[in-house]
Amino acid sequence: MSKKIVVLGAGTGGTIISNNLRRHLPDEWEITVIDRDNEHVYQPGMLFVPFDIQKVSTLTKPRKKYILPGVNFVIDEITRIDPEKREVKTNNQTFSYDFLVISTGCKIVPEENDGLMDAMGENAFTFYSLEGAELLRKKLKEFDGGKLVLNIAELPFKCPVAPIEFVFLADWYFKKRGIRNKVEIELVTPLNGAFTKPKASAVFGESAKEKNITITPKFELSEVNGKEKYIESIQGDRVTYDVLVSIPTTIGDEVISDSGIDDGIGYVPTHLNTLQALKHERIYVIGDATNVPTSKAGSVAHYEADVVVFNIMAEIHGIKPEEIYDGHSTCFIVYSKGTSSLIDFNYKIEPLPGKFPLPHMGPFSLLNETKANWYGKLGFEWLYWNVLLAGRHLGMPPTLVMAGKEVG
Ligand SMILES: Cc1cc2nc3c(=O)[nH]c(=O)nc-3n(C[C@H](O)[C@H](O)[C@H](O)COP(=O)(O)OP(=O)(O)OC[C@H]3O[C@@H](n4cnc5c(N)ncnc54)[C@H](O)[C@@H]3O)c2cc1C
């Protein structure tokens, strides 16, 4: 009998789960992980590049270095998933599987937003790619006043805290340069406020007000006009800008839609709690490739990987997968170079104040701007490369823990 697990995508989720599975399964189980290239990007670092806090050259490392020797790493373009035949095709090979894990993530498609590509590099930028983040760094360096607008084109998008972090950092950056009084900062979003969850959104909205940052909610982008420097909504509202920072439309990878297993925008319909593909047996989905209603964030991919390893092990032993995952997500929210907040929530429980991960003592404060949280955010990068990707555990369960949280 073949004993093969194939993992699609060797980004955050794919690397963690491949290594985690290798740690848990005997050698008779062959584990293969496939990605189109050998360049693993630490994506949270792209937020810091425009503000000269981090250099692009520090963000990419070889994927292979972070994949355990007992895992077969293949560099190839995945072109088709066939759930009936239990096969995956790449440009050069066909792989059969007993279990498949889809972790192909999501990507920005600026060409989907009318007018955006014409303005890109002139007065429109994005920090959601390495090249874009570097171009924006150069632009902000020479910017000596005017209106900076951050626009989220459409939902869903990756890392829902990144836009609010960007405008907070812009406030810090222009203060540091002594020109804050010459710069208007506006966040234009399709959401009802600064963030997806109402209570945290109110807290971030208050902080934005204190920093003299305008938030324009419920703005559904129709077009970018780079010549006249404005964005227009479907309802006909216009916001003018001097520099536009765009988070363009985001979709799942084409291989998901080309294989006919998507929800219409490239995400795999996924069971909220078992993380099984809803329509196909022996397929699990983690990270940004799922359609589950929690953040598209690295922390989510990490928590989900734990649950999927557990459920694949259960299936191997003939046991039904368990409905464990609760939408748990944990994110730092940088307020300035030197301070940060932190949120911890799941499908049902909104971010609450309190301490994390150690009840009552911290070290980190929830929904609160502190220096310790900033050091936590910085330290997280080391943890990412050296502990999390290796599929090691931090002694925390993948689901939300209420200890330390202030309820009511
Ligand atoms: C600016 C920014 C800041 C962020 N900040 C944070 C943060 O502070 N905290 C946090 O938790 N998260 C953050 N994130 C989000 C986080 O990086 C992602 O949610 C996380 O990487 C998702 O992991 P994933 O495995 O689902 O996808 P990815 O890590 O993107 O991996 C997907 C992989 O699949 C491969 N792939 C896709 N399709 C194919 C194909 N057809 N053939 C071959 N290979 C394929 C890709 O090459 C890629 O390597 C941030 C993201 C951005 C952009």
Side-chain angles (χ1 to χ4, degrees):
M1 184 201 160
S2 74
K3 293 188 171 181
K4 291 180 180 170
I5 301 181
V6 175
V7 177
L8 305 184
T12 308
T15 304
I16 292 173
I17 200 159
S18 302
N19 291 337
N20 198 334
L21 283 165
R22 187 67 290 159
R23 286 175 191 286
H24 284 88
L25 289 170
D27 289 348
E28 65 200 40
W29 279 91
E30 193 182 301
I31 299 163
T32 300
V33 58
I34 310 170
D35 204 297
R36 56 168 65 101
D37 61 40
N38 191 24
E39 298 188 353
H40 190 130
V41 177
Y42 178 65
Q43 298 178 38
M46 294 197 290
L47 169 74
F48 288 153
V49 172
F51 306 105
D52 248 340
I53 299 173
Q54 192 152 20
K55 291 203 175 342
V56 162
S57 56
T58 66
L59 299 181
T60 307
K61 300 191 195 263
R63 295 188 198 280
K64 191 160 176 47
K65 191 173 162 195
Y66 296 89
I67 294 170
L68 288 181
V71 176
N72 179 25
F73 175 45
V74 176
I75 299 178
D76 209 343
E77 182 72 24
I78 307 152
T79 53
R80 187 71 67 172
I81 300 162
D82 187 336
E84 305 307 319
K85 289 191 187 157
R86 289 193 193 146
E87 261 179 21
V88 170
K89 283 197 191 311
T90 63
N91 276 342
N92 299 299
Q93 291 181 68
T94 299
F95 298 85
S96 59
Y97 63 80
D98 296 286
F99 292 97
L100 183 71
V101 180
I102 299 177
S103 45
T104 42
C106 63
K107 59 182 181 183
I108 52 164
V109 278
E111 54 281 9
E112 290 289 314
N113 302 124
D114 278 358
L116 182 55
M117 287 312 284
D118 298 333
M120 225 19 140
E122 292 291 323
N123 52 40
F125 300 83
T126 184
F127 61 99
Y128 270 50
S129 70
L130 289 174
E131 309 72 40
E134 178 57 16
L135 275 177
L136 183 55
R137 183 187 70 79
K138 290 182 182 149
K139 183 71 183 177
L140 292 189
K141 208 170 182 183
E142 69 189 31
F143 190 58
D144 55 9
K147 192 168 170 190
L148 178 84
V149 169
L150 187 143
N151 174 241
I152 301 156
E154 209 179 332
L155 304 177
F157 63 99
K158 202 190 289 210
C159 192
V161 294
I164 192 84
E165 292 183 286
F166 186 92
V167 291
F168 284 177
L169 276 171
D171 168 71
W172 163 83
Y173 177 81
F174 292 120
K175 271 186 189 146
K176 189 189 72 155
R177 284 187 45 205
I179 59 164
R180 180 63 180 93
N181 58 344
K182 293 187 188 163
V183 182
E184 245 183 281
I185 304 174
E186 184 167 342
L187 170 62
V188 182
T189 171
L191 293 167
N192 292 334
F195 186 57
T196 45
K197 304 275 177 184
K199 284 181 190 152
S201 187
V203 173
F204 300 149
E206 206 45 51
S207 305
K209 212 189 253 173
E210 282 162 19
K211 293 175 190 291
N212 197 20
I213 295 167
T214 307
I215 297 180
T216 302
K218 299 179 188 167
F219 186 100
E220 295 172 81
L221 182 72
S222 157
E223 81 158 295
V224 176
N225 188 323
K227 277 207 179 101
E228 294 179 39
K229 296 201 270 188
Y230 67 79
I231 51 173
E232 188 166 299
S233 72
I234 293 170
Q235 293 75 18
D237 298 322
R238 281 185 185 179
V239 174
T240 58
Y241 68 81
D242 292 300
V243 172
L244 176 68
V245 180
S246 169
I247 299 179
T249 291
T250 303
I251 57 169
D253 194 85
E254 283 88 0
V255 68
I256 305 301
S257 33
D258 290 352
S259 304
I261 58 168
D262 75 316
D263 62 352
I265 48 170
Y267 301 110
V268 186
T270 306
H271 191 286
L272 293 183
N273 311 107
T274 65
L275 300 171
Q276 290 167 295
L278 280 177
K279 296 184 191 147
H280 307 286
E281 284 182 353
R282 294 183 179 232
I283 299 183
Y284 286 85
V285 197
I286 60 169
D288 298 348
T290 75
N291 75 338
V292 300
T294 188
S295 293
K296 295 200 178 296
S299 60
V300 167
H302 179 235
Y303 295 138
E304 288 174 340
D306 277 359
V307 171
V308 170
V309 169
F310 184 91
N311 277 342
I312 287 178
M313 304 274 289
E315 282 207 69
I316 286 172
H317 289 100
I319 301 164
K320 219 174 133 234
E322 287 196 40
E323 298 189 3
I324 302 168
Y325 187 59
D326 63 354
H328 189 197
S329 176
T330 312
C331 298
F332 286 105
I333 300 102
V334 173
Y335 268 54
S336 69
K337 185 181 174 188
T339 60
S340 176
S341 182
L342 180 69
I343 51 175
D344 190 46
F345 59 98
N346 69 12
Y347 293 136
K348 288 190 185 147
I349 297 166
E350 289 202 39
L352 293 165
K355 296 287 182 185
F356 177 91
L358 308 173
H360 313 300
M361 291 162 57
F364 303 121
S365 296
L366 294 165
L367 263 186
N368 191 18
E369 178 186 4
T370 67
K371 269 191 182 169
N373 285 343
W374 167 256
Y375 290 114
K377 170 86 181 181
L378 291 190
F380 182 79
E381 185 175 355
W382 183 88
L383 209 64
Y384 180 86
W385 291 115
N386 296 291
V387 180
L388 300 180
L389 286 185
R392 292 206 185 93
H393 286 267
L394 296 172
M396 290 194 299
T399 48
L400 189 85
V401 172
M402 287 305 288
K405 299 205 168 54
E406 294 165 16
V407 186

